[in-house]
Amino acid sequence: MTALDTPTDEVTLTIDGVEVTAPKGALIIRVAEKLGIEIPRFCDHPLLAPVGACRQCLVDVEGQRKPITSCTTPIADGMVVRTHLTSEVARKAQQGIMEFLLINHPLDCPVCDKGGECPLQNQAMSTGAAESRFQDVKRTYPKPINLSTQVLLDRERCVQCARCTRFSEEIAGDPFIELMDRTSDEQVNVYREEMFGGEPGPAGSHSDLGSEPLRSYFSGNTIQICPVGALTSAQYRFRSRPFDLVSTPSVCEHCAAGCAQRTDHRRGKVMRRLAGDDPAVNEEWDCDKGRFGFRYVTAFDRITEPMVRDPQTGALRAAAWSEALAVAAEGLRRARDSSGGVGVLTGGRLTVEDAYAYSKFARIALRTNDVDFRARPLSTEEADFLAAAVAGRQGPTYAEVEQASAVVLAGLEPEEECPILFLRMRKAYRKRALAVHALAPFRTTGYEKLGATVLPCAPGSEATLLAGDASLAAALSQPGAVLVVGERLGGAPGGLSAAVALAERTGARLAWVPRRAGERGALEAGCLPHLLPGGRPVTEPRARAELAGAWGLEAGVLDSRPGRDTGAILAAATAGDLGALVVAGVDPADLSDARAAEQALDAVPFLVSLELRNSAVARRADVVLPVAPTVEKAGSFLTWEGRLRPFEAVLATGAMTDARILDALASQLGVQLNTRDVPAVRAELAALPATDSPRHPPPQVAPAPPPVPADGQAVLATWHQLVDLGTLQDGDDELAGTARPSVVRLGKELATRLGVGDGDPVTVGTGTGALTLPVEVVDMVDAVVWLPTNSPGATVRRSLGAAAGALVSVSVSVSVPVSASVFVSVSPGGSR
Amino acid sequence: MTPSEGALARLTPVLTKRWLSPDAWRREVYEQLDGYTALRKALAAHPDDLIALVKDSGLRGRGGAGFPTGLKWGFIPQADGKPHYLVVNADEGEPGTCKDLPLMMVDPHSLIEGAIITSYAIRANLAFIYVRGEAVHAARRLQHAVAEARAAGYLGTDILGSGFELEVVIHCGAGAYICGEETALLDSLEGFRGQPRLRPPFPATHGLYACPTVVNNVETIATVPYIVLGGAQWFRGMGTEKSPGPKIYSVSGRVNDPGQYECGLGVTLRELIELAGGMQDGHELSFWTPGGSSTPMLTAEHLDVPLDFEAMAAAGTMLGTTAVQVFSDQDCPVYAAYRWIEFYHHESCGKCTPCREGNFWMKQVLRRILSGEGTHADLDTLLDSCENLLGRSFCAFGDGAASPVQSSIKYFRQTYLDYVEGRRPPLFGSPPPRPAWAATELAGAAR
Ligand SMILES: Cc1cc2nc3c(=O)[nH]c(=O)nc-3n(C[C@H](O)[C@H](O)[C@H](O)COP(=O)(O)O)c2cc1C
Ligand code: SF4
Ligand code: SF4
Ligand code: SF4
Ligand code: FES
């Protein structure tokens, strides 16, 4: 090949005698991989910056007087590389390093969690000598130590590759874990007073915890990328051996990020979950909630058999499926044919297939449009926005956000609410200085790690800023800019209307990021009162006709009148205007007024609950039908991008999907739903034609004047922390221990007016109740208080019955706040 | 013993010329002895001409590696719009090396003057002197000198009316040998843990705070004013063709008058010992280091090899920091190697495997040999470990650690064998005991 044929950005070199052309700047180790030559390595990781610390990847390069590290050296034109396969120098160098690495390694493979999947073990076999010449005393450490409640470190196993520390600093931006000390005593650790001449922590249960434990939502990834068994999780440690596990590719059911995962089980029990490798979505990472939060499935209150309410005793009792289905069908039929009708609340955690079944069940078995997936604060404006701007549209992707010229965030704190989107944005910020703008009441650590410019914004004022702020418009006018709105923006009157208008005006792409894994899927499946599957407006004759055709219905079966939304359905129940309710995975504690929702559930004459666990809904139901959790069924989620994430069942149990149960219920009502099995639903979904019907018009709600707090009042700002009291995190105490402490945040002015400083107890109240937490004074818009929505000591919706933007009272508390940690083990009353 | 005329003629007091004058560290005294005249001359010249002058002089770095100083300055990109920095390496941690500290104590203004001229040449407006943490006395002296220089208008804005601006910051290191390695030094200076950085990029383009930076040794910088005053030809009049100029040799060990002897490069050990008053009574030269522990040791057969960069390389060692440590027949080369490896083990930064683990291992093997429990295989293991360490480590520290072991086995294999085969009494009882808790655990396990 002559130089002329080679594009300037490619170079040609030889590795082990094979000529190869690769992009300039590529590292030798990567190019060798492409040729199938695997150079042993420890510190190298394709997603981390090279360090060249372990020296395991030494290769021989012609013209160099000593072997060089292939993980740090970019290729050059004409380079002649010899790896261990063809060079004695390289082979000997690698073997020498391996011998060094093993002298201080305990070689306790038989009891090590990593044994069987350990890069050190594997590479010691491939690269090391059969026997070590080391016969002296190894460096040892007394015991494993906690880096956090979840992550444990056995220091003697560590090979000081700095993958974990680089991950924390580069990828997650949580640098509380570092390499410390020097020479053979160099060790990974968190800040400990005693290492810097101070007193060791108090003896007791947590004495092993550093003074500044690793607090990161992504800490589990360090365990996965550790090339030895030095890092283990409290959850999996000593539980199993890799070769006893059955691995299944899976998709995380927690948030709308849609991470690819791998679920490992042994004899019908899930032992652990790992991040899957999906360059388009989560790259090789996941968050701790997705990794560790799976024990809710095996919680003590899992419902395993159907139940009906006994007319005599008034209590729920176990029943056969046939009885339960018959009772449910009879109750629903009566309600359907009465004036009140039936409402359907599906929640945001269903698979696409199950959501579709609910949507179809409501429309043709219950003949109602009273269906809504939103189990959270919501508005009509939001429903209109979703129908007009999200449903059926291909939104920007992770890659497009990464490549964006600018990203504006409104109503979204990505680290808390969509962690993998956060990581992707952080990558873009670090690699190409992505400009991030955020509308928020204060600069969170998450925004800090994104280098975001924060536009101070009290809850409720988003619309005004989106409509009028010149800097936002300028940023979004650049080609490739993306406006990302979270589900919370729906709580700010006019916010979503302003967002649509702004995107239109600037040409920016618009993305909607809900918090839960099933929301986007439910939207596409038509679980909204005015929207049929495929983004078809209920009111459009053509939309109804298309669907009637696909479903084989007579004309006129599909109701043309929009139904009631979650709020209206519950209000109707309370007012006695609803005949029955079918509720899937909904926790009343998630609704903007939890107590009002429970009153509605109490009031409705007939309640059918399709549930996993004995929840607040199940306890009130007339019929309870147990459904399969994600791990026991096949299905799909849609990421916030609208990307389909299909998965198969990990565990084969008898548990039934919601769709299958609805199919059976429908046939009791004389309707054929055809949602018995997942392949059938998938086939039906795939066969749905693209719609020709006009779209729903976008909302045009004017910004409302922001609430004006009186003396002693403030505007409530609140969102969920990633690790909190959500019921899908039940049973994972080690994970709960890594949660951010609950605090009430307020600005300096308000703090001065109240006369409080960091740590002082402050009470936030409404007519419903009050919460008292230690205060953290931050740079906050004045007269705003922030609370975590559903954290220990801060169950905002249940205790305050208020959502973001509400006026709350703020006062200095006379009583000492209950330490947040007391609440960690309290799990009931949580939400999804 | 009085040195001969011939040996005395080798002395070239240039950097040390004020060392015997009382109070030479004070500005007035320094000024009376030519101080700050080079600065006036330099400020009148174009910076590029100064770089060319230092290139012409052939000055090579005095910090150990002997890199041509003018060339290093020339790597600094000009008109790049970024701030430039000069960092003076005053960490002096190499065992045996003790030239920079006395220079800073006795003649601190020569370093300040050199730093100003260098900064002017490389267009730096901020210079740092990174002083070894333990050397508080030197840091104080430098601080005083900086204050004096500022008061006299040699530092600050518009120095001597030239429009050139410079501040000098004295920074005390946190006490680690590795912080003398220039990139570890920069990390340390920036407030991070002192560990060497991955290169490229090199300090010349991405040094302190990722800006173009020159790192030079104290002696290198202190030499600059003399070159400015005397010119390149004068400078080349001393030393050898490829290693020109005067050099401070730090002679220590079994000589009568240990100390600093400034000679033209290329002086021999025989001459240095003579200058240092000869070997102590009853001691006969056995082995010696030409430039600190990181330079492979030599023996009496090298008494007449010129101590310059080329001749030392030809003899299989390095000139290093010209820390000439003289050991006699009453010193044990195996014990010396052991103590040095103890040092390297203690000071290894821990970043890379071969140095972190290799020193840990070699230290134990050497101790075992000295305890009379070594084997013949241990000698091969030591040599092979050195082979796996030398040129495999992340930074030159690892290479330095291999030097004492390799060279002592090369020249004193018989002494090693004497320990192994029981002809020499053990120096230690047995290998160090296991940590107390491990002993209990083992006992527990046995029970
Ligand atoms: C382990 C190690 C320690 C070093 N310690 C010092 C030191 O204490 N002082 C010094 O000037 N150079 C030291 N060096 C050399 C520096 O890295 C650097 O080469 C030198 O400061 C450059 O200055 P020069 O060109 O003037 O010699 C050390 C190098 C290594 C590898
Ligand atoms: S704990 Fe694991 S990942 Fe971290 S430095 Fe040690 S070996 Fe590497
Ligand atoms: S980011 Fe979301 S999808 Fe990914 S692991 Fe975490 S909770 Fe699951
Ligand atoms: S050789 Fe490696 S461990 Fe030793 S000092 Fe250099 S970087 Fe640190
Ligand atoms: S993999 Fe290349 S140095 Fe560690």
Side-chain angles (χ1 to χ4, degrees), chain A residues 170-171 283 398-407 420-436 449-451:
Chain A
E170 296 171 19
I171 307 295
E283 303 200 294
Y398 279 105
E400 283 164 319
V401 169
E402 186 182 336
Q403 292 307 321
S405 53
V407 170
I420 290 301
L421 177 61
F422 165 78
L423 287 193
R424 197 54 91 90
M425 290 176 65
R426 180 168 158 81
K427 179 182 176 196
Y429 162 61
R430 276 180 53 91
K431 297 239 154 123
R432 42 178 298 272
L434 169 68
V436 179
K449 288 180 269 192
L450 293 175

Side-chain angles (χ1 to χ4, degrees), chain B residues 61-63 72 89 91-93 177 180-182 215-217 220 396:
Chain B
R62 304 312 197 205
K72 186 184 269 189
N89 190 340
D91 196 51
E92 193 163 63
Y177 170 52
E181 195 284 331
E182 57 185 14
V215 183
N216 271 135
N217 172 255
T220 314

Side-chain angles (χ1 to χ4, degrees), chain B residues 178 196 348-352 355 393-395 397-398:
Chain B
I178 192 57
S348 163
C349 85
K351 181 172 190 150
C352 74
C355 169
S393 58
F394 186 88
C395 82
F397 181 108

Side-chain angles (χ1 to χ4, degrees), chain A residues 252 254-259 261 286-287 289-291 418-420 722:
Chain A
C252 176
H254 285 280
C255 87
C259 290
Q261 288 191 319
D286 66 359
C287 80
K289 178 156 90 177
R291 179 179 298 257
C418 194
I420 290 301
L722 183 74

Side-chain angles (χ1 to χ4, degrees), chain A residues 51-55 67 92 96 99-100 103-104 133-134 136-137 140 159-160 179 181-184 186, chain B residues 176 193 195 345-348 350-354 356-358 360-361 364 368 384 387-388 392-394 437:
Chain A
V51 272
C54 77
R55 320 300 291 171
K92 165 125 182 20
E99 185 177 35
F100 283 142
I103 69 170
N104 265 329
R133 291 170 289 181
F134 182 75
D136 302 271
V137 183
T140 41
V159 291
Q160 286 99 327
L179 280 157
D181 225 320
R182 62 182 189 219
T183 187
S184 44
E186 191 190 43
Chain B
R193 224 168 134 232
Q195 281 197 331
H345 172 243
H346 186 264
E347 294 296 322
S348 163
K351 181 172 190 150
C352 74
T353 308
R356 181 183 67 234
E357 309 296 341
F360 172 88
W361 188 8
Q364 294 197 53
R368 204 148 34 75
D384 197 46
E387 215 176 283
N388 290 336
R392 313 294 188 254
S393 58
F394 186 88
W437 64 264

Side-chain angles (χ1 to χ4, degrees), chain B residues 60-69 72 87-94 97 99-100 177-183 185 199 215-221 294 321 344 395-398:
Chain B
R60 296 174 66 171
R62 304 312 197 205
F67 192 84
T69 305
K72 186 184 269 189
V87 176
V88 180
N89 190 340
D91 196 51
E92 193 163 63
E94 172 83 8
T97 310
K99 63 193 175 63
D100 297 341
Y177 170 52
I178 192 57
C179 290
E181 195 284 331
E182 57 185 14
T183 58
L185 185 153
R199 275 163 297 192
V215 183
N216 271 135
N217 172 255
V218 169
E219 191 184 351
T220 314
I221 295 297
S294 302
T321 58
Y344 284 103
C395 82
F397 181 108

Side-chain angles (χ1 to χ4, degrees), chain A residues 589-721:
Chain A
D590 281 335
L591 299 162
S592 27
D593 190 336
R595 293 187 202 179
E598 282 167 6
Q599 281 162 15
L601 293 174
D602 286 333
V604 74
F606 192 70
L607 178 60
V608 178
S609 166
L610 287 85
E611 253 300 358
L612 194 60
R613 292 169 56 192
N614 200 2
S615 67
V617 178
R619 285 194 295 275
R620 292 175 167 80
D622 296 287
V623 180
V624 182
L625 303 169
V627 297
T630 315
V631 66
E632 295 174 27
K633 67 184 176 190
S636 321
F637 289 118
L638 285 178
T639 67
W640 59 270
E641 320 156 84
R643 182 193 304 268
L644 193 68
R645 310 291 280 160
F647 56 88
E648 297 307 311
V650 171
L651 301 177
T653 64
M656 288 194 272
T657 61
D658 295 59
R660 181 166 190 172
I661 296 167
L662 292 175
D663 182 87
L665 209 47
S667 64
Q668 299 258 342
L669 292 167
V671 172
Q672 266 239 298
L673 214 53
N674 292 330
T675 58
R676 241 184 92 76
D677 54 48
V678 171
V681 181
R682 286 179 178 166
E684 187 170 319
L685 277 168
L688 273 189
T691 178
D692 276 335
S693 108
R695 291 190 74 86
H696 196 85
Q700 287 184 325
V701 176
V708 185
D711 223 20
Q713 278 191 326
V715 180
L716 177 66
T718 181
W719 53 79
H720 284 83
Q721 307 209 113

